[in-house]
Structures are given as structure tokens and as C-alpha cells.
Amino acid sequence: MAADLRFNLSWRMTRENSRHFILVLLCCLISVCYSQQMPGYLFDGDAGDLHMGSASATKILIKGGTVVNAHHKMVADVYIEDGIIVYVGPDIKANDDVKVIDASGKYVMPGGIDPHTHLDMGFMGTQTIDDFFSGQAAALAGGTTMHIDFVIPVDGSLSAGFESYLKKAEKSVMDYGFHMAITKWDEDVSKDMEIMVKEKGINSFKFFLAYKGALMVSDELLLQGLKKCKSLGALAMVHAENGDAVAEGQKRMIDLGITGPEGHALSRPPVLEGEATARAIRLASFVNTPLYVVHVMSIDAMEEIAKARNSGKRVIGEPVVSGLVLNDSWLWDPDFTTAAKYVMSPPIRTAGHDKALQAALSAGILQLVGTDHCTFNSTQKARGSDDFQKIPNGVNGIEERMHLVWETMVESGQISVTDYVRITSAECARIFNIYPRKGAILAGSDADIIILNPNSSFTITADSHHSRSDTNVYEGRNGKGKVEVTISRGKVVWENGKLMVEPGYGRYVKMPPFSYLFEGLDRADAAYLSSLRAPVQRLVSST
């Protein structure tokens, strides 16, 4: 019963939603529904074998852990019923039909939200190896309980692209949302954007400033898109590299006889990422609309974001875990298979960029961490064995992100545990307007929860990961801080090294427009218009 009484996605604190909140809470408390066991699939944590298992009870009590939200932490119990967090507080008692999880000495946190993934995407003549089943299974094993994937239009049609991705996502095992890419501009695209926002639950659109001849858009198209995004209350996103210059850089490398994976990085240096980031920021400022820069990989791009934010511009910077923890040295490995697996765009940069991005994340210059999970196996990567331009761009990360961010940022003392929640879940939920339904452990929130043991260790290897890829760019990395339990909408899906998932259990989450980033824009526009002191009334000369 309680599952049918959900919060409005926008979570606007109106009188109606206040009454709704009370009704949900009361219904959860008086519910006498019996726990149900759902059929599912269980992965062995060591070998990745698939066999039948069962999901957990719908009533769960997490006892004695340190509950961490983006704004505070406290030792408390968490009671869950029918997929919803019902109560957070001390010394909650459990009935016999409640599954009790002891979290003493551990952190109880919102499940991660990955804002940047590409599952089952056709790209560079092939298809990403992870689909909405394997990619999401990997995510759950790593403590991520929701992701936002990028819909690529079909022949330029947004509606066709949306329907195509809904079909791909039928095998989903966890909640997901969509961004939408814009690859051309005409009246049909403009009308489709309205449909996506007003009917389909998409509140963000991505513009590629790279991939000339494929996905890249012109400045003229970008301006049209920025204006439309602003009118719809949708967030404009950019892949910021100068595509024309990248094409020139690729030609230069080929002319020099540099055809291996190192040529990829050499052809698109940080200055091209910085230039495109600055250009996109200035055009968004000209339109006066917020901007989200995806996969910030370089000091050059980060500094442009820092300058913009310091001057009051509404710019969000998203580093990805590969840029935070890796450097480009592997691209020069003499083994092609090893080197090629690190090819992504923008490229992984030279040592020093990673530390600078970590510092920017710690300082709040960058706001949240994604993965750009876009996996290809070694056979697919070998398509470019004689020409780096043919190597499919992309690396893994959806399973590894939560562990690597903890090890790199929390264990090192660069951020607090509350900051960890902010950059891995809460800020993403706020930006895409689904907070606190997602990204929080509060009464009424979805029960997407992880239990992390700060004293337990993890090791990353392709032999035990849940991606279908036969390689892993974080191979052999280890550290402290391990996700021991993952709960997705009130069901335990990862526990004791076992992954229990159900194809079709995943749910599409609509994301409403006009997030907090749009607050006050109308007043800024009014101030701009009043400052123009124009048009000036002039006398027409009679001579």
C-alpha cells in the first residue's frame, strides 16, 4: 500500500506534498503487508556465475550504523518498508517479519548516483559491451543504485531515440534516468525537446563540441539549443573539446607516423578542452542559462570553470573517476591491448592533472563525480590496432567509482564522509531535481542505501568485476572502504559478496525541469534588460 503513495518527483514543499508526506508515513507505519520474496538472479562474487536466487524481504531494519547524509551524520537505525525509508532514529525495535542488518561500526549512506553512463550505445561502428543488465548489475555490486544514461537520437529524432532506449532498458535491474543528446537542429528537434521535458521526464540535453562529422554541433546550433533549454528549464550539458582542432590534431599525428594509442592523447591536448569549455561557458552566459560540463579531465578546463563560478556564473563541473585517479602513462605501454583500453575522450591526462582535479573537487570548484562508463572489450578496441582514430573511445567505472572515490578522497583526508555523500549522490539528485527522493536517507526517501565498512579492503580486477569487459583500467588497485551491502528500493541486492538482481526490476525515474540552478534567472534577465538604456529615441533629420 505504501509503495503506491510516493512523493511527487519534484519534491516541492507545497501544502499538498506536506499532506502527501504524512499520508505516506502513516501508511507505512500501519502497513500489515507480509514480506514477499521476488525471483531473481544471483551472481557469485568471485566468478560472476549466474544462477537463481531470491531478493530480500520488503521490511528491513538497519541497526547501529552511522547514518550519513550530505548535511550531517549520526548514529541511528533505519527502518524500511515497501521500498521507502519510514523512520530514521535511535533504538528502533523490529518485529519477527523484519530483516535486521547489523551496521555497527559502519557507515549507512545513500546509494550512489552516477550522472554519466553509456550503456548499450552504438558508437564508432560497434556497441558498448555493457547493456542495461550487466552495467547495472556491476553498478549495484559497487554501491551505485541509480544512474543517468545518455539517449542518442535515431536519425536525429529525439522521440525515436527515447523509445529505443526505453526498449533497451527493459532488462534494467535498478533505477535509471535519461539525458538526451542533441545532434542536429530544426523545428522537429525543438518540438521534440518540449515533449521530452513536459511528458517524458528528461530535464537535460547534451551537446557534443567534439566528434566532427558525427555528433559534433556548431556554435550556431549550440546557441539555439541553449535558448531552448533555458525556456524549458532544462540543463544544457557539453562535451567540451574543440572538434575542428581535434580533427587537425589527428591528421598531424598520422602525418608524423604516430598511429598507436598514444596518438589519441597527443591529438587532443588539454588546451583544446580548455578552449571549448571557455567557449561553452561564455555562450551559456550570453544566453544566461546554467551549464553542466561533463567529464572535466584537465587543469585547463577546471580553471575555466573556477573562473566562471568565481564570477557568479552557474556552471557545474563533473570530473570522472578515471580522470581523478589515472594518468596517461599507460597509453605508451608497448602492449597494444593494455594501451588501447585507456583510450577515452577527453583523454586521460599526464600526471598532475589528476591531483589538481582532486583538489578542485575538495574545494567545491567541481561538484560531483561521474564515470563516463562506456566499455568495449579488447577485441573491439583492436579495431584500431593500426590507427588510433578507430579505437572505440571509452573506459569502465560504474562498479569502481564508489570505492575509488572513498579511497582517493576520504581515506586521504581530502574530504569528509558527508562530502562523500554530496559528491557521489546528493548533489546529483539536487542538480537533476530528484532530491530528496534520491540521494538522502530521510523518512519518505526511496530506500536506496549502501553500508560501507571503512575498515574492510577492496581489490579491483577484471577476473571478479561484473562488467562484460575482459579488461579493467583500474586493474590491481586496492584500498580501504568496502561496500558490503547494497539496498535498491528496499531490497537487498548485494550482500556477503553475492549479487541478487531481477531483470525488469529497474524503474525509469522522471526528472522534472527547473532545478535549483534556475532560481532567480528571471530577475537576472530583468536586471539585464533594465541596464540596456535602449533603444534610444532619436530625432530623424529632415535633410
Side-chain angles (χ1 to χ4, degrees):
M1 181 168 68
D4 295 327
L5 297 167
R6 295 199 166 276
F7 288 111
N8 183 284
L9 270 175
S10 64
W11 204 280
R12 302 190 189 281
M13 293 309 295
T14 61
R15 182 178 302 173
E16 178 182 355
N17 280 339
S18 297
R19 290 197 301 267
H20 201 176
F21 172 83
I22 294 168
L23 185 57
V24 170
L25 191 56
L26 287 173
C27 287
C28 286
L29 289 172
I30 66 174
S31 175
V32 292
C33 296
Y34 290 102
S35 300
Q36 297 177 351
Q37 290 206 335
M38 301 293 289
Y41 294 85
L42 185 144
F43 282 94
D44 183 276
D46 295 324
D49 294 331
L50 185 67
H51 53 92
M52 291 303 295
S54 61
S56 300
T58 57
K59 298 178 183 179
I60 300 172
L61 178 60
I62 304 172
K63 293 286 293 182
T66 299
V67 176
V68 186
N69 280 300
H71 55 288
H72 76 289
K73 63 177 182 176
M74 64 178 181
V75 176
D77 301 340
V78 180
Y79 178 61
I80 300 163
E81 188 170 324
D82 294 335
I84 299 291
I85 297 171
V86 176
Y87 184 72
V88 181
D91 197 27
I92 304 173
K93 305 301 181 185
N95 295 326
D96 292 339
D97 62 345
V98 176
K99 175 182 175 67
V100 179
I101 301 174
D102 182 7
S104 302
K106 302 172 186 179
Y107 291 112
V108 181
M109 298 184 285
I113 307 174
D114 189 340
H116 189 155
T117 62
H118 298 281
L119 301 182
D120 203 0
M121 180 182 75
F123 186 54
M124 297 184 70
T126 186
Q127 199 84 6
T128 54
I129 198 70
D130 280 325
D131 59 16
F132 279 81
F133 177 79
S134 66
Q136 291 185 353
L140 292 171
T144 289
T145 53
M146 180 179 170
H147 71 111
I148 311 177
D149 210 79
F150 286 89
V151 173
I152 306 299
V154 174
D155 297 327
S157 169
L158 277 58
S159 291
F162 180 80
E163 293 303 323
S164 170
Y165 269 73
L166 280 183
K167 185 72 175 176
K168 293 177 182 182
E170 287 179 354
K171 62 185 75 173
S172 290
V173 299
M174 72 181 200
D175 287 0
Y176 62 95
F178 286 146
H179 310 291
M180 175 69 72
I182 301 295
T183 57
K184 71 172 190 176
W185 190 260
D186 56 29
E187 278 304 309
D188 289 338
V189 171
S190 179
K191 291 176 182 176
D192 256 1
M193 286 178 71
E194 294 187 23
I195 294 171
M196 293 301 111
V197 173
K198 296 176 181 178
E199 300 178 19
K200 305 301 184 183
I202 288 177
N203 66 2
S204 50
F205 295 91
K206 182 180 181 181
F207 302 87
F208 290 87
L209 306 188
Y211 301 120
K212 186 174 181 177
L215 300 171
M216 177 179 161
V217 302
S218 66
D219 286 354
E220 179 183 9
L221 190 157
L222 177 59
L223 276 169
Q224 294 299 322
L226 290 170
K227 291 192 295 182
K228 190 67 177 182
C229 283
K230 180 181 180 180
S231 71
L232 294 171
L235 184 58
M237 313 175 82
V238 288
H239 172 140
E241 291 181 286
N242 187 309
D244 289 320
V246 167
E248 177 62 27
Q250 291 173 329
K251 181 178 182 300
R252 180 188 299 174
M253 292 304 111
I254 297 299
D255 289 346
L256 290 171
I258 302 172
T259 60
E262 69 278 10
H264 177 76
L266 293 172
S267 70
R268 47 209 312 151
V271 65
L272 302 187
E273 187 184 353
E275 185 280 332
T277 301
R279 176 161 42 99
I281 288 172
R282 284 162 173 76
L283 291 178
S285 177
F286 175 67
V287 175
N288 189 29
T289 196
L291 183 72
Y292 184 114
V293 183
V294 304
H295 49 40
V296 177
M297 297 292 286
S298 67
I299 294 172
D300 304 55
M302 178 270 290
E303 288 182 340
E304 294 296 340
I305 292 168
K307 286 190 295 185
R309 289 180 62 86
N310 285 339
S311 66
K313 293 181 174 62
R314 303 182 186 202
V315 180
I316 299 295
E318 170 212 89
V320 290
V321 67
S322 55
L324 290 171
V325 307
L326 300 174
N327 63 63
D328 72 349
S329 60
W330 288 103
L331 290 170
W332 274 260
D333 193 283
D335 178 67
F336 174 85
T337 298
T338 298
K341 73 179 179 179
Y342 292 92
V343 170
M344 65 173 291
S345 295
I348 297 166
R349 304 299 186 182
T350 56
H353 287 271
D354 51 346
K355 300 297 184 185
L357 293 176
Q358 292 173 28
L361 186 62
S362 175
I365 295 167
L366 304 174
Q367 287 70 51
L368 74 169
V369 181
T371 62
D372 194 9
H373 183 90
C374 185
T375 48
F376 301 96
N377 63 22
S378 55
T379 300
Q380 291 172 301
K381 291 276 189 176
R383 295 163 63 94
S385 59
D386 59 352
D387 183 353
F388 68 83
Q389 298 173 99
K390 299 176 183 178
I391 301 173
N393 292 190
V395 302
N396 61 287
I398 201 169
E399 183 169 357
E400 298 80 12
R401 178 183 69 127
M402 298 293 282
H403 289 112
L404 289 172
V405 172
W406 181 272
E407 169 68 19
T408 304
M409 301 301 297
V410 181
E411 278 294 316
S412 66
Q414 294 189 75
I415 63 171
S416 67
V417 292
T418 53
D419 283 337
Y420 176 79
V421 169
R422 176 177 57 81
I423 67 175
T424 59
S425 64
E427 188 59 23
C428 181
R430 290 184 68 235
I431 289 168
F432 296 105
N433 219 9
I434 51 174
Y435 183 89
R437 174 183 175 181
K438 302 289 187 182
I441 298 182
L442 298 170
S445 298
D446 284 357
D448 293 343
I449 295 173
I450 61 172
I451 300 174
L452 185 145
N453 186 343
N455 298 312
S456 186
S457 299
F458 67 86
T459 299
I460 297 171
T461 172
D463 290 336
S464 62
H465 72 197
H466 295 82
S467 167
R468 290 192 177 125
S469 177
D470 58 347
T471 65
N472 192 307
V473 294
Y474 310 104
E475 185 72 33
R477 285 187 172 257
N478 52 60
K480 289 182 65 179
K482 185 176 182 180
V483 175
E484 295 185 337
V485 178
T486 302
I487 299 171
S488 174
R489 285 203 343 265
K491 296 186 184 298
V492 175
V493 292
W494 172 257
E495 187 177 27
N496 298 322
K498 305 293 182 182
L499 181 60
M500 296 164 284
V501 291
E502 305 163 36
Y505 175 70
R507 182 179 55 187
Y508 175 59
V509 177
K510 290 186 175 183
M511 300 179 291
F514 294 105
S515 74
Y516 79 93
L517 292 168
F518 287 83
E519 293 176 3
L521 282 187
D522 53 344
R523 293 189 293 275
D525 286 341
Y528 163 73
L529 291 174
S530 66
S531 73
L532 296 178
R533 298 184 296 114
V536 176
Q537 300 299 318
R538 292 181 173 87
L539 296 174
V540 178
S541 174
S542 60
T543 58

